[in-house]
Amino acid sequence: MRERSLVSIVDDDESVRESLPDLLWQVGFAAQAFPSAEAFLGSEAVGKTRCLIVDIAMPGMSGPDLQLELMRRRHHIPIVFITAECDEAARRRVLAHGAVECLFKPFSETALLDALAAALG
Amino acid sequence: MEAPLESPADEVTRILDSIPGLVALLTSTGDVDVVNRQVLEYFGQTLEELKQWGTNDTIHSEDLPHVIDIFTRSIASGSPYEISQRFRRSDGVYRWFQNSGFPLRDANGHIVRWCVLLTDIDERTRAVDALRASERNLKLIIDTIPALAWSARPDGSAEFFNQHYLDFMGLSAEQAADWGWTVAVHPEDRNGLSATWQRIMASAELGEAEARLRRYDGEYRWFLVRANPLRDEEGEIVKWYGINTDIEDRKRAEVAEQALNRARAELAHVTRVATLSALTASIAHEVNQPLSGIITNASTCLRMLDDNPPNVDGARETARRTIRDGNRASDVITRLRALFSKKELTLEPLDLNEATREVLTLSLGDLQRGRVVLQSELASDLPTITGDRIQLQQVILNLLRNALDAMADVHDRPRHLLIRTERESADRVRVSVRDAGVGVDRQSMNKLFDAFYTTKSDGMGIGLSVSRSIVARHHGRLWVEPNDGPGATFSFSIPRAPEGVTDAGGAGNTKV
């Protein structure tokens, strides 16, 4: 069996950390969830992650902060942002910095899978 | 032994000398003839000197012309005289006397003598003078104190006004007397002042009132009117004394302060309304989180059931999470409802036109950004209603935002927005917002007002649900109609006075 690609999830919302890994597993990915950007950066997952799903607004380091930090560390991980705030300006900003997609919560399974496909394509 | 007989002249002298007063007998032509001892002692002059009273300072020079005038005429006519004048005492001091002369006639009626009685009234005169001076002084004080002083009879009618008061009103004492002064009271204050005055009189105690009084030049100024009763020994009120103090400046400061407070309240109010959009964003955030979980879990659940063999345990777990997230979203709505319904409605008289204008002012930026052509038709005959200003403004704001959103994708026609207020019937008013947007279809019209139902990609479908519950709490209704042309019209109508509006505990539980 082919090894599953690791998708890491960084979100302070527990229901996301709980539900998204199961869905990702169901569609063929390995998934690991972190409650904060700091927790993710301190883990071994940084080097193994093929795609990152990150919440924009988080206490401590925000999603866009994490995006910049990874660029600084030259970890070129494709990022899909998710956010509960319909903030078009924030969306444009992260896309301009190279994010694959920015999905407004609640997003459909199709939208998520399309974004992952684009990220891993 | 018999005492030797006195001569008649000696007898007269003895009698005159025993009178406790200054007495003189004059000839029929008014020349001093006989004086008693008291006269000699007082004046310190001889009889011969006294006969020259018209030329030797016996009479105060200021009084002399007057005395000569009266005296000469009296002697000529034969009628008695009475003069108040000053006579010089032996030590040079002039004292006031009452100088009374009356003619003595013989059997034929011819005047044979004049009898003159000089009564020392100096002390009395000085006392009277002092009293007069004191009165003058008092009057001066009363007339010049920087207040309007007055007195009134026990029945409340005015008796006295100081000059200051009369000058202020530009009335004569006669014009102001009794109830005449009330013409100077501002028409709006007349009933209030009259009622207070009656109440003070009924209480028979010190009392005060505030009223505007018209100055002679027509300008009204605010006065503090104070009245104090004067009682007799039995405690009955015999008079009221009062003072009116000009408090115009203080009153102006008060008015300024009130205006300031109003402005502050307005500002707070505007801030509250303005933060509604921020509130909406945070509500959206809170609801979007569990909604996201619901969709992800449901998707996972379906996939687990599609597994071969079906992952029933996993599906059960994700279904459970779906329910939990659903409840979380529902809690948010409950809290939101509580936000609008926990407090009692703050009912106040309200001009819906003004409330609408305020909302329009607040939304002007958004309307311009949305390139909306705004037209407002605010009925001039709109009656004042009773309602919760802020909540109704939130409804109007919500309808306005919806209209704005509905026209966001309109590019082939002007984005017309018409907001209208009108009198629906004698006691109902209506506010409607007509847009030229995407419109509503008949099937979804009723669902529009359900929580979570939305036609927008970025909306949560909460605004109309909350709006409808606010309107319902005003015993009104909120509805939508498709336009003949493009777009839709949202309207709400409410009664002028929502009878029996209770607190919202009940309304909060009502399904709207």
Side-chain angles (χ1 to χ4, degrees):
Chain A
M1 193 176 168
R2 192 171 66 90
E3 202 187 333
R4 289 169 177 254
S5 302
L6 177 63
V7 176
S8 292
I9 301 152
V10 182
D11 198 323
D12 62 320
D13 183 46
E14 199 188 349
S15 74
V16 170
R17 295 202 304 276
E18 203 178 55
S19 58
L20 259 191
D22 282 354
L23 179 63
L24 293 173
W25 184 265
Q26 281 294 319
V27 296
F29 296 103
Q32 210 173 343
F34 300 89
S36 70
E38 290 86 347
F40 170 70
L41 287 173
S43 75
E44 289 178 0
V46 180
K48 299 177 198 163
T49 298
R50 297 284 312 281
C51 178
L52 193 58
I53 300 178
V54 187
D55 189 18
I56 287 187
M58 289 185 291
M61 189 183 278
S62 71
D65 289 345
L66 177 58
Q67 181 183 29
L68 296 178
E69 177 62 21
L70 289 173
M71 278 163 67
R72 202 183 62 75
R73 296 187 186 187
R74 302 187 190 288
H75 285 298
H76 300 290
I77 309 173
I79 301 180
V80 174
F81 279 98
I82 55 177
T83 178
E85 279 157 60
C86 310
D87 186 344
E88 282 293 343
R91 180 174 193 272
R92 276 197 300 275
R93 258 195 312 279
V94 295
L95 291 181
H97 282 109
V100 176
E101 182 54 283
C102 178
L103 300 173
F104 291 142
K105 296 179 186 177
F107 44 82
S108 68
E109 181 196 275
T110 315
L112 179 68
L113 295 185
D114 286 351
L116 286 176
L120 298 168
Chain B
M1 213 167 78
E2 273 190 357
L5 277 175
E6 282 180 311
S7 69
D10 287 345
E11 194 185 359
V12 167
T13 302
R14 199 170 54 83
I15 292 169
L16 289 180
D17 286 351
S18 66
I19 293 174
L22 281 65
V23 178
L25 297 177
L26 313 184
T27 63
S28 61
T29 54
D31 294 324
V32 178
D33 188 18
V34 180
V35 298
N36 69 354
R37 186 169 44 83
Q38 284 84 331
V39 169
L40 294 174
E41 282 172 5
Y42 176 83
F43 287 100
Q45 296 183 32
T46 63
L47 183 62
E48 288 312 307
E49 285 167 332
L50 284 173
K51 285 181 179 178
Q52 308 303 318
W53 60 264
T55 54
N56 62 4
D57 292 342
T58 300
I59 291 173
H60 196 287
S61 60
E62 285 177 15
D63 303 338
L64 189 61
H66 175 62
V67 172
I68 290 175
D69 180 43
I70 300 281
F71 182 76
T72 313
R73 274 195 277 152
S74 187
I75 299 299
S77 67
S79 50
Y81 69 85
E82 209 169 273
I83 313 168
S84 289
Q85 56 160 108
R86 281 160 287 184
F87 279 120
R88 196 179 71 169
R89 199 165 60 186
S90 54
D91 59 1
V93 173
Y94 285 97
R95 290 178 66 83
W96 280 96
F97 277 82
Q98 170 98 353
N99 175 357
S100 318
F102 54 93
L104 208 69
R105 296 172 192 271
D106 64 13
N108 299 323
H110 293 118
I111 295 175
V112 290
R113 275 189 182 282
W114 285 86
C115 295
V116 174
L117 177 67
L118 306 179
T119 314
D120 188 332
I121 55 167
D122 197 72
E123 271 165 35
R124 207 178 74 200
T125 305
R126 281 180 202 285
V128 168
D129 280 354
L131 201 62
R132 286 218 184 102
S134 159
E135 266 176 10
R136 262 201 311 279
N137 191 27
L138 212 56
K139 186 164 168 10
L140 206 63
I141 290 172
I142 290 171
D143 282 344
T144 54
I145 47 169
L148 312 186
W150 51 270
S151 73
R153 303 179 192 92
D155 69 356
S157 62
E159 185 179 51
F160 165 84
F161 297 90
N162 71 348
Q163 198 55 44
H164 203 62
Y165 202 161
L166 294 171
D167 290 349
F168 177 87
M169 293 189 292
L171 297 179
S172 69
E174 292 72 31
Q175 286 172 318
D178 297 332
W179 300 99
W181 60 278
T182 54
V183 301
V185 180
H186 194 288
E188 284 172 24
D189 300 341
R190 222 167 268 167
N191 289 341
L193 183 63
S194 169
T196 308
W197 184 212
Q198 296 299 334
R199 206 172 56 240
I200 292 170
M201 287 196 294
S203 77
E205 295 290 341
L206 179 102
E208 59 184 47
E210 287 183 6
R212 279 161 291 179
L213 297 179
R214 192 182 56 212
R215 202 163 59 183
Y216 60 90
D217 60 0
E219 187 191 314
Y220 282 98
R221 293 183 71 84
W222 275 101
F223 279 87
L224 173 66
V225 180
R226 279 208 182 100
N228 204 8
L230 174 75
R231 297 164 196 279
D232 63 15
E233 282 150 8
E234 274 83 46
E236 289 295 310
I237 290 175
V238 292
K239 205 171 273 197
W240 287 91
Y241 285 106
I243 258 189
N244 304 354
T245 319
D246 189 326
I247 53 166
E248 178 70 22
D249 294 342
R250 198 189 82 194
K251 210 69 186 177
R252 281 203 186 143
E254 273 175 26
V255 169
E257 180 133 339
Q258 278 165 8
L260 191 66
N261 286 339
R262 256 204 310 281
R264 270 197 207 110
E266 290 289 312
L267 191 65
H269 164 72
V270 165
T271 313
R272 272 178 75 182
V273 177
T275 53
L276 191 74
S277 56
L279 179 71
T280 310
S282 100
I283 291 163
H285 180 264
E286 277 204 63
V287 178
N288 282 339
Q289 293 283 25
L291 283 181
S292 186
I294 288 169
I295 289 171
T296 306
N297 280 312
S299 300
T300 311
C301 181
L302 286 177
R303 285 186 176 273
M304 286 174 167
L305 291 175
D306 283 345
D307 280 353
N308 193 10
N311 180 356
V312 177
D313 288 345
R316 194 176 282 128
E317 172 59 22
T318 50
R320 212 175 274 133
R321 288 183 201 153
T322 306
I323 294 168
R324 189 204 52 202
D325 286 345
N327 285 334
R328 252 180 77 190
S330 160
D331 287 348
V332 173
I333 300 304
T334 307
R335 287 211 307 278
L336 179 65
R337 278 258 172 75
L339 198 68
F340 289 104
S341 56
K342 195 157 60 190
K343 290 174 292 180
E344 283 191 27
L345 287 178
T346 311
L347 295 178
E348 58 180 332
L350 171 67
D351 177 354
L352 261 184
N353 284 343
E354 190 190 306
T356 303
R357 262 184 232 112
E358 259 183 30
V359 173
L360 288 177
T361 306
L362 286 170
S363 309
L364 225 50
D366 289 339
L367 293 169
Q368 278 167 359
R369 270 192 295 281
R371 296 197 305 284
V372 167
V373 184
L374 174 72
Q375 188 188 352
S376 59
E377 292 177 1
L378 307 182
S380 56
D381 65 340
L382 202 68
T384 302
I385 64 153
T386 303
D388 188 306
R389 177 187 171 108
I390 296 204
Q391 295 205 9
L392 289 175
Q393 283 187 312
Q394 281 166 344
V395 174
I396 297 169
L397 187 66
N398 187 249
L399 297 185
L400 211 59
R401 289 280 156 90
N402 282 350
L404 210 57
D405 291 342
M407 295 192 286
D409 293 325
V410 170
H411 301 287
D412 58 344
R413 56 179 181 267
R415 297 176 180 177
H416 273 303
L417 193 158
L418 169 65
I419 186 159
R420 174 187 283 152
T421 61
E422 60 199 307
R423 184 193 272 263
E424 193 178 80
S425 63
D427 46 36
R428 279 186 91 86
V429 294
R430 181 194 293 191
V431 178
S432 49
V433 178
R434 178 194 173 99
D435 65 55
V438 290
V440 291
D441 61 77
R442 296 257 169 211
Q443 284 91 34
S444 59
M445 258 167 48
N446 286 328
K447 290 190 218 154
L448 276 178
F449 300 97
D450 294 343
F452 298 127
Y453 183 87
T454 181
T455 56
K456 302 177 211 162
S457 57
D458 59 348
M460 285 313 306
I462 290 169
L464 280 176
S465 164
V466 170
S467 293
R468 185 174 257 192
S469 78
I470 289 174
V471 170
R473 294 181 59 223
H474 284 81
H475 295 253
R477 61 188 199 96
L478 170 63
W479 72 96
V480 59
E481 289 163 315
N483 295 338
D484 283 343
T489 302
F490 283 83
S491 313
F492 69 88
S493 96
I494 52 173
R496 284 180 60 184
E499 292 291 326
V501 169
T502 48
D503 79 278
N509 297 328
T510 312
K511 270 235 177 332
V512 184

